[in-house]
Amino acid sequence: MKKVYCILIFIVFFCSGCSMKETDTMGDLIFSTEVSPNEAYIDEEEDKVIYTIQVYQDDDNVVTVCADSNSEFFEGVQYELAHSERISKSDINITWTTIMGNSEASEEDLWALANVSISSSEKVISERTINFISGAIKTIFEIIEQ
């Protein structure tokens, strides 16, 4: 039985070491935000949806943007930008909108899109929209087609 515990502990440490190493290779965490589009409208904490966006920059000034969610409809997004300068938290702007394009969310029209804008020397170097509900929309269309 002790061998089983030792093996499990080894696996946990090995796996956590791998995930930390992956984050380390992305560089320094420059920016991180977490929002819940449905927090004000749920009764159970387990129903809370969380959207997370993190921006890293490595020693070669490569900027990595990572988006994730605990929603089963979102698979995660990661992209990189080659850049020649360091960026700071003030160079990153996230604008949240609903699927209907509104900046103010409601129970019927929750935040679903994050417009990620990264600037350097007051010039926008990247602007992308991350759709946190694209998987849900795809599922709805698949059901309709059946």
Side-chain angles (χ1 to χ4, degrees):
M1 191 68 164
K2 285 185 179 182
K3 286 184 181 182
V4 172
Y5 287 127
C6 288
I7 291 171
L8 288 174
I9 290 171
F10 175 76
I11 290 171
V12 169
F13 282 122
F14 179 76
C15 290
S16 64
C18 291
S19 63
M20 286 189 303
K21 186 174 183 180
E22 181 180 312
T23 302
D24 288 345
T25 61
M26 288 191 277
D28 298 326
L29 179 63
I30 306 295
F31 177 90
S32 182
T33 188
E34 182 177 285
V35 299
S36 174
N38 69 340
E39 183 174 31
Y41 311 110
I42 58 171
D43 295 323
E44 302 292 326
E45 186 69 19
E46 62 199 32
D47 296 330
K48 183 177 176 180
V49 174
I50 299 171
Y51 301 154
T52 304
I53 298 175
Q54 296 178 316
V55 180
Y56 298 86
Q57 190 169 31
D58 68 15
D59 292 337
D60 295 325
N61 292 328
V62 174
V63 176
T64 303
V65 177
C66 303
D68 204 2
S69 174
N70 65 337
S71 170
E72 61 187 63
F73 296 112
F74 187 71
E75 295 180 15
V77 171
Q78 180 175 320
Y79 61 92
E80 294 183 348
L81 312 165
H83 192 52
S84 59
E85 301 174 14
R86 300 299 292 170
I87 62 168
S88 67
K89 185 176 183 174
S90 64
D91 294 322
I92 301 162
N93 185 39
I94 311 284
T95 306
W96 293 94
T97 57
T98 68
I99 196 68
M100 300 302 289
N102 298 314
S103 59
E104 295 295 322
S106 67
E107 188 171 6
E108 296 80 28
D109 191 20
L110 299 173
W111 282 335
L113 307 169
N115 183 27
V116 180
S117 177
I118 302 173
S119 301
S120 180
S121 302
E122 299 184 27
K123 178 182 173 193
V124 175
I125 59 171
S126 173
E127 191 165 12
R128 294 195 189 183
T129 300
I130 299 171
N131 185 338
F132 281 89
I133 64 163
S134 59
I137 294 169
K138 182 180 175 185
T139 301
I140 291 169
F141 280 115
E142 288 172 355
I143 291 170
I144 290 172
E145 288 177 356
Q146 293 177 0

